[in-house]
Amino acid sequence: MLAALMVLTGAVGVSSAGKAEELVDVALVLAVDVSRSMSPDEITLQRKGYAAAIADPAVVKAVKQGVHGRIALTMFEWANDGHAREIVPWTVIERLEHAQGFSDTVLADTTFGQRRTSISGAIRHASRLLLDVPYAADRFVIDISGDGPNNQGQTVTRARDIAVEAGFVINGLPLMTTSGFGTQFNIPDLDEYYRRCVIGGPGSFMIPVNDWDQFPEAVRRKLVLEIGGRMPMKPPRVLPAQITFEEPYDCLIGEKIWRKLRQQFFLDP
């Protein structure tokens, strides 16, 4: 399965994780959606929300409570299947000044929206980063935020399943907001889509965001859970992944919406 993942992600050779010496509790990839369905104001709010959450004392406290007392963190922005732009490279977070430095780098960058939405492409890129993480991690987690379903590239369930089989956990932060551009590409039950089609792995979960005012707190809670490798007994608005479902769910809904709109408005492939 590791070989299959390396083919999927385009990785070659042997993961540098096997040569790492510094121990971390978790290697965590933050994959942030910047597709054009989000307005510039929303993208700015998203960036500020991540920056505030990463430097939050509760997040740093969670880091210190780990076995090794440190985590490895990286962040990139994604949109279409070919767009994955690094915001912050792999960084060890051990103390507040490390978290603040990461946060400052996030705030100093500038984002430009990109067309299309490829969650599968984001999973593939995040998987490649985890294959090459230069630290020895006890856990490997992909954290994906987005405001719409996959509509380009490999099917999201195939990318998810390969990543999970390789030992990676995928958590989600579906943005249920409706004020951005391109809302015709979105779906009203994006939280259910993320639960059934995107997240996966032991203890995986997602936290829906219905309003941008909720975003910083949702990211903070999500990071605390991911860093600690645990979930609360009765998590409000934290929905775990399910293995079986009574009713089938169409995980190709995003691709179907795109094809329908393309036929109506002669959109680019």
Side-chain angles (χ1 to χ4, degrees):
M1 184 54 66
L2 179 60
L5 178 64
M6 294 178 74
V7 171
L8 171 70
T9 61
V12 294
V14 179
S15 169
S16 61
K19 299 180 290 185
E21 295 181 0
E22 187 168 5
L23 300 175
V24 295
D25 291 299
V26 59
L28 175 58
V29 180
L30 302 179
V32 182
D33 180 13
V34 293
S35 58
R36 287 180 180 166
S37 56
M38 296 176 63
S39 69
D41 287 343
E42 288 178 324
I43 289 176
T44 298
L45 287 171
Q46 179 176 240
R47 181 181 291 277
K48 290 181 177 179
Y50 270 105
I54 291 166
D56 191 282
V59 172
V60 177
K61 180 180 179 180
V63 170
K64 293 181 178 180
Q65 290 177 339
V67 174
H68 306 300
R70 68 181 70 90
I71 68 169
L73 187 66
T74 186
M75 179 176 178
F76 74 92
E77 294 178 338
W78 63 273
N80 57 65
D81 192 44
H83 181 78
R85 190 174 72 89
E86 179 183 276
I87 302 302
V88 188
W90 280 117
T91 303
V92 171
I93 307 295
E94 191 170 6
R95 297 187 298 274
L96 180 59
E97 55 263 38
H98 301 149
Q100 189 61 59
F102 195 105
S103 175
D104 290 344
T105 303
V106 171
L107 287 175
D109 195 81
T110 301
T111 295
F112 298 95
Q114 302 290 324
R115 62 191 298 274
R116 303 295 294 269
T117 300
S118 181
I119 300 174
S120 59
I123 293 174
R124 291 172 58 227
H125 185 75
S127 297
R128 185 182 300 113
L129 291 174
L130 289 176
L131 283 172
D132 292 331
V133 61
Y135 308 102
D138 292 343
R139 293 177 290 112
F140 301 87
V141 179
I142 300 170
D143 180 323
I144 294 183
S145 65
D147 72 339
N150 192 80
N151 63 36
Q152 187 191 44
Q154 187 181 46
T155 60
V156 66
T157 50
R158 176 60 176 162
R160 174 202 63 190
D161 292 347
I162 292 178
V164 169
E165 286 294 330
F168 305 153
V169 172
I170 303 173
N171 296 324
L173 194 73
L175 307 177
M176 311 286 288
T177 57
T178 59
S179 58
F181 304 121
T183 54
Q184 67 269 30
F185 299 110
N186 296 342
I187 55 177
D189 61 342
L190 185 65
D191 51 350
E192 191 71 358
Y193 175 87
Y194 262 69
R195 185 169 73 98
R196 297 201 184 196
C197 310
V198 179
I199 65 176
S204 59
F205 64 92
M206 65 91 183
I207 301 178
V209 175
N210 293 298
D211 188 275
W212 281 106
D213 291 340
Q214 303 171 354
F215 187 77
E217 172 62 14
V219 176
R220 185 194 67 81
R221 291 179 54 228
K222 194 162 183 286
L223 289 175
V224 169
L225 292 173
E226 289 168 331
I227 292 168
R230 63 186 186 275
M231 292 183 61
M233 293 299 293
K234 295 181 179 180
R237 298 184 57 73
V238 177
L239 304 180
Q242 301 297 318
I243 298 176
T244 59
F245 304 93
E246 294 182 0
E247 298 293 334
Y249 188 90
D250 186 4
C251 290
L252 294 175
I253 182 64
E255 288 85 346
K256 292 178 179 178
I257 291 174
W258 180 268
R259 285 197 295 268
K260 180 179 179 180
L261 291 173
R262 183 188 173 200
Q263 292 172 355
Q264 290 177 348
F265 301 107
F266 303 101
L267 298 173
D268 293 333

